Amino acid sequence: MNKLVITVAPTGSLPTKKMTPHVPITPKEIVDTGVRCEAAGAAIFHIHARNPEDESASTDFSIFTEIYQGLKEKTNMILQISTGGRAGMGYAERSERLKLCPEMASLTTGSVNFPNRVYANSPDLIESLAKDMIQYRIKPEMEIFDCSMINNAVQLVKKELAAHPIHFDFVLGLKGAMPATAENLIHLKNSIPSASTWTVAGIGRHQLSMSLHAILMGGHVRVGLEDNIYYKSGDLATNEQLVERIVRLSKEIGRDIASPDEAREMLSINIS
Ligand code: ZN
């Protein structure tokens, strides 16, 4: 079986220190978490920035730069910068960080209802972010909250705003989007172009079950406090614990873990 690529999403936009002391907020905390997660077996590190004063989601380029440079110095992981819009919805705010030329960045190819608001990604915004990713030679991770977004990602390739093979991240279990069921995961997997790669991000208590399905189905896994702060009910997790658990479970059924360089090859990321 192909090796398992583990992505860790340690921070996101929502968890605060009050919710869990384990969420890394400052650039130093995020970089230190990266070092521990790489040692645990993560190959991809998904980056959000926070304003250290109030822990709110940040679009500040200097904070992204500090996190990115720190991780680049101290780890060999594939660094994936989020272009998500919780911190600021405009194109300018969401695209500036791409100038850091990370190997990967997330790209949500449609709009979706979050529990309390619309997460708006207009066609123009998506195409503008995709163009930047081509210009900076960044591999997009297509963030898929419902089936239509797969088609939108394929359309980007037709317009030469992205390239095959596409890498998808299926986000399942978020209120307002697709429920985290095995049937939905199978349907999504069967809806993507052949030769694509995919990972799954189960939200909340669905993180573990979705990860297990993906391990068995030959997909890849994303874990971390961005999507789920618990190890089990009532028991807070650290990011590295969530990575370690996936490593253990995957090895137990005979599927080895991809190193960052192996993940680069599997995901067709340019090694410069
Ligand atoms: Zn994110």
Side-chain angles (χ1 to χ4, degrees), residues 9 12 46-48 82 106 222 226:
H46 176 81
I47 299 171
H48 284 258
S82 169
S106 62
R222 165 170 140 169
E226 171 167 349

mmCIF file of all heavy atoms in Angstrom, residues 9 12 46-48 82 106 222 226, ligand 1:
data_model
loop_
_atom_site.group_PDB
_atom_site.id
_atom_site.type_symbol
_atom_site.label_atom_id
_atom_site.label_comp_id
_atom_site.label_asym_id
_atom_site.label_seq_id
_atom_site.Cartn_x
_atom_site.Cartn_y
_atom_site.Cartn_z
ATOM 1 N N ALA A 9 -2.624 20.288 11.298
ATOM 2 C CA ALA A 9 -3.181 21.654 11.287
ATOM 3 C C ALA A 9 -3.291 22.076 12.748
ATOM 4 O O ALA A 9 -4.296 21.823 13.401
ATOM 5 C CB ALA A 9 -4.543 21.646 10.593
ATOM 6 N N GLY A 12 -5.268 26.764 13.354
ATOM 7 C CA GLY A 12 -6.534 27.243 12.805
ATOM 8 C C GLY A 12 -6.832 28.668 13.231
ATOM 9 O O GLY A 12 -5.932 29.424 13.616
ATOM 10 N N HIS A 46 0.209 22.743 8.199
ATOM 11 C CA HIS A 46 -0.773 23.724 7.703
ATOM 12 C C HIS A 46 -0.754 24.954 8.613
ATOM 13 O O HIS A 46 -0.994 24.853 9.816
ATOM 14 C CB HIS A 46 -2.141 23.037 7.700
ATOM 15 C CG HIS A 46 -3.290 23.902 7.307
ATOM 16 N ND1 HIS A 46 -3.606 24.174 5.991
ATOM 17 C CD2 HIS A 46 -4.228 24.541 8.063
ATOM 18 C CE1 HIS A 46 -4.690 24.934 5.957
ATOM 19 N NE2 HIS A 46 -5.091 25.180 7.194
ATOM 20 N N ILE A 47 -0.477 26.102 8.021
ATOM 21 C CA ILE A 47 -0.166 27.299 8.817
ATOM 22 C C ILE A 47 -1.289 28.339 8.830
ATOM 23 O O ILE A 47 -1.768 28.767 7.780
ATOM 24 C CB ILE A 47 1.117 27.979 8.257
ATOM 25 C CG1 ILE A 47 2.308 27.019 8.343
ATOM 26 C CG2 ILE A 47 1.399 29.292 8.980
ATOM 27 C CD1 ILE A 47 3.550 27.530 7.616
ATOM 28 N N HIS A 48 -1.675 28.739 10.041
ATOM 29 C CA HIS A 48 -2.478 29.945 10.256
ATOM 30 C C HIS A 48 -1.688 30.855 11.172
ATOM 31 O O HIS A 48 -0.857 30.386 11.951
ATOM 32 C CB HIS A 48 -3.797 29.625 10.957
ATOM 33 C CG HIS A 48 -4.828 29.006 10.069
ATOM 34 N ND1 HIS A 48 -5.882 29.705 9.551
ATOM 35 C CD2 HIS A 48 -4.965 27.744 9.605
ATOM 36 C CE1 HIS A 48 -6.636 28.899 8.816
ATOM 37 N NE2 HIS A 48 -6.098 27.694 8.823
ATOM 38 N N SER A 82 -2.364 28.530 4.836
ATOM 39 C CA SER A 82 -3.806 28.660 4.599
ATOM 40 C C SER A 82 -4.100 29.984 3.903
ATOM 41 O O SER A 82 -3.554 31.024 4.278
ATOM 42 C CB SER A 82 -4.561 28.613 5.922
ATOM 43 O OG SER A 82 -5.907 28.980 5.714
ATOM 44 N N SER A 106 -3.504 26.287 0.835
ATOM 45 C CA SER A 106 -4.871 25.776 0.707
ATOM 46 C C SER A 106 -5.682 26.706 -0.193
ATOM 47 O O SER A 106 -5.431 27.909 -0.258
ATOM 48 C CB SER A 106 -5.523 25.681 2.095
ATOM 49 O OG SER A 106 -5.603 26.960 2.688
ATOM 50 N N ARG A 222 -5.447 14.308 7.743
ATOM 51 C CA ARG A 222 -5.098 15.559 8.426
ATOM 52 C C ARG A 222 -5.664 15.514 9.835
ATOM 53 O O ARG A 222 -6.840 15.201 10.030
ATOM 54 C CB ARG A 222 -5.673 16.745 7.659
ATOM 55 C CG ARG A 222 -5.681 18.044 8.465
ATOM 56 C CD ARG A 222 -6.018 19.241 7.612
ATOM 57 N NE ARG A 222 -6.890 20.156 8.308
ATOM 58 C CZ ARG A 222 -7.181 21.382 7.879
ATOM 59 N NH1 ARG A 222 -6.672 21.824 6.739
ATOM 60 N NH2 ARG A 222 -7.987 22.153 8.558
ATOM 61 N N GLU A 226 -6.730 22.513 14.962
ATOM 62 C CA GLU A 226 -7.604 23.358 14.138
ATOM 63 C C GLU A 226 -8.976 22.714 13.978
ATOM 64 O O GLU A 226 -10.000 23.384 13.994
ATOM 65 C CB GLU A 226 -6.983 23.595 12.747
ATOM 66 C CG GLU A 226 -7.960 24.290 11.796
ATOM 67 C CD GLU A 226 -7.335 24.830 10.528
ATOM 68 O OE1 GLU A 226 -6.095 24.873 10.421
ATOM 69 O OE2 GLU A 226 -8.095 25.223 9.622
HETATM 70 ZN ZN ZN B 1 -6.850 25.954 8.076
#
